[in-house]
Amino acid sequence: MVIVLKPYASKQQIDSLISEIEKYEVTVQKVIGSNLTILGLIGDTASIDIDKIAINEIVHKAMRIQEPFKRANIMFHPEKSVIKVGDTEIGGGKIVTIAGPCSVESEEQIVDIARQVKLAGATFLRGGAFKPRSSPYSFQGLGFEGLNLLKTARQETGLMIVSEILSHDMVDRFVEDVDIIQVGARNMQNFVLLKELGKIDKPILLKRGLSATIEEWLMSAEYIMAGGNPNVILCERGIRTFEKYTRNTLDLSAVPSIKRLSHLPIIVDPSHATGLWWMVESMARGSIAVGADGLMVEVHDNPEKALSDGQQSITPKAFSDLMNTLRIIAGAIGRYI
Ligand code: PEP
Ligand code: MN
């Protein structure tokens, strides 16, 4: 962190500011120029509240040089994190695919889709049991019964399961039931939930918030990691922009941005990013080409009848065709599916 002081700052005021800063156990280097004095802070400045420094009457400007996230930062962890889930790895050479319906609707539905996506080569089965819907009158999911049905599908197919958690009081049950706990876009900044997820070691799929910057997203990952859980997988799912043609705007540049800033794996969800079934395939292809470690795709055997997100769901046949194309793209960039 660098602090630029106002020209009229007295020696006494400067010394008093320095002793305040030194309480954070950082070293302060003073650079005295002909007009300005600059303080350079050396050490772990993560716990320093920059706004508190900035309001000091002798401070002209306070700036962070390093990103505020530490554990998620590639600077302090140059080797890529590879997250182990059962006997699968996320963030290694293999590109993982998480496929399945938006919502678990019935045993027959989830088991049938699970069988088909498994045949197509999916790594994980997804299915929402608790649905964060924009309207309280929309289908809210089957709740814990939905988790039971996902477990049945896992038993039938061997596919590991991914499902979204909505609140901190569900953590025990999710740890018990699912293989990856999904934190949805709307909960990316539910800090009570993130702190609880920091206390476990189950892999967490952390979706990007609807209007979250890359830094805010990584700070949410930092919450989970700061609690002691290093197993975080990021998921770009589109952000809200002025464009209304698509449900959200898929920010594919988030993939190389995250790769430059963090060691955590990142996957892309082209279904929620576009909201349009016919756009899912091209955006999925693009995601793999730009270096994503995996995909989350909504697949439904009868999209027209789906209880949620049918308009953005592709059929099992379309998913199978997509996987064949993705295998070629993965091979071209030295990876495999
Ligand atoms: C979902 O995956 O079903 C979902 C609700 O996604 P998001 O949180 O990205 O909107
Ligand atoms: Mn959905």
Side-chain angles (χ1 to χ4, degrees):
M1 189 183 289
V2 169
I3 303 169
V4 181
L5 302 180
K6 287 179 181 162
Y8 58 74
S10 69
K11 183 176 180 312
Q12 192 193 1
Q13 285 174 311
I14 297 174
D15 288 345
S16 139
L17 177 61
I18 290 176
S19 55
E20 271 309 302
I21 295 168
E22 281 174 343
K23 287 183 188 154
Y24 291 100
E25 290 176 6
V26 292
T27 312
V28 182
Q29 294 259 333
K30 192 160 60 169
V31 182
I32 303 173
S34 47
N35 293 316
L36 292 174
T37 300
I38 294 172
L39 305 180
L41 277 51
I42 300 158
D44 186 0
T45 58
S47 62
I48 299 181
D49 184 346
I50 195 164
D51 295 333
K52 256 187 171 165
I53 306 266
I55 57 166
N56 187 296
E57 59 176 333
I58 62 160
V59 172
H60 170 61
K61 213 180 206 177
M63 292 161 287
R64 283 194 188 278
I65 304 297
Q66 270 170 17
E67 294 84 13
F69 46 90
K70 296 275 175 259
R71 289 170 175 81
N73 200 322
I74 199 160
M75 288 242 293
F76 305 106
H77 191 295
E79 65 288 353
K80 300 260 167 233
S81 277
V82 177
I83 313 289
K84 277 202 158 49
V85 195
D87 53 11
T88 296
E89 291 181 340
I90 305 180
K94 181 180 165 70
I95 286 166
V96 298
T97 43
I98 304 172
C102 180
S103 301
V104 180
E105 298 172 8
S106 67
E107 180 171 330
E108 194 193 359
Q109 175 242 21
I110 194 69
V111 172
D112 182 47
I113 296 173
R115 287 209 175 100
Q116 298 194 64
V117 297
K118 161 117 189 205
L119 214 59
T123 335
F124 295 92
L125 172 68
R126 66 150 283 151
F130 296 88
K131 297 304 303 176
R133 306 304 300 280
S134 301
S135 165
Y137 308 115
S138 302
F139 177 59
Q140 301 286 308
L142 296 180
F144 290 116
E145 176 55 14
L147 289 185
N148 289 338
L149 299 181
L150 278 169
K151 288 199 295 186
T152 306
R154 177 172 60 194
Q155 210 163 17
E156 293 289 320
T157 60
L159 278 180
M160 289 185 284
I161 55 182
V162 183
S163 200
E164 178 174 354
I165 190 166
L166 285 194
S167 72
H168 63 280
D169 52 8
M170 298 175 177
V171 171
D172 290 348
R173 182 70 194 266
F174 271 74
V175 169
E176 182 106 356
D177 286 356
V178 311
D179 300 290
I180 298 179
I181 302 178
Q182 178 176 329
V183 175
R186 290 154 194 82
N187 263 322
M188 188 206 84
Q189 285 187 318
N190 179 342
F191 300 117
V192 177
L193 174 60
L194 299 180
K195 281 183 188 173
E196 281 307 304
L197 296 173
K199 296 177 187 165
I200 58 176
D201 62 3
K202 182 76 68 175
I204 310 296
L205 182 68
L206 180 65
K207 286 195 151 194
R208 183 177 184 180
L210 302 162
S211 307
T213 63
I214 301 267
E215 186 172 294
E216 287 164 342
W217 187 16
L218 285 169
M219 287 308 285
S220 290
E222 190 79 10
Y223 258 90
I224 300 170
M225 299 173 86
N229 185 354
N231 301 313
V232 179
I233 304 137
L234 300 165
C235 179
E236 161 64 36
R237 47 77 70 204
I239 47 174
R240 191 165 279 190
T241 66
F242 58 83
E243 182 54 68
K244 288 189 173 149
Y245 188 67
T246 46
R247 183 176 180 180
N248 292 292
T249 297
L250 175 56
D251 180 11
L252 271 191
S253 71
V255 176
S257 307
I258 290 292
K259 294 280 171 202
R260 191 176 175 89
L261 292 168
S262 180
H263 51 90
L264 296 173
I266 174 169
I267 71 164
V268 174
D269 170 353
S271 308
H272 291 88
T274 63
L276 299 165
W277 64 268
W278 54 268
M279 212 183 264
V280 168
E281 185 185 345
S282 50
M283 292 296 106
R285 290 195 306 245
S287 303
I288 298 312
V290 297
D293 297 298
L295 289 169
M296 171 177 263
V297 180
E298 285 188 340
V299 178
H300 198 286
D301 52 345
N302 191 352
E304 283 173 30
K305 293 271 164 59
L307 295 182
S308 59
D309 286 351
Q311 79 288 356
Q312 65 192 35
S313 300
I314 59 172
T315 61
K317 162 84 171 75
F319 177 69
S320 177
D321 292 345
L322 171 62
M323 289 291 279
N324 289 333
T325 314
L326 296 179
R327 279 187 193 101
I328 300 166
I329 298 172
I333 56 166
R335 300 184 82 170
Y336 64 97
I337 290 190

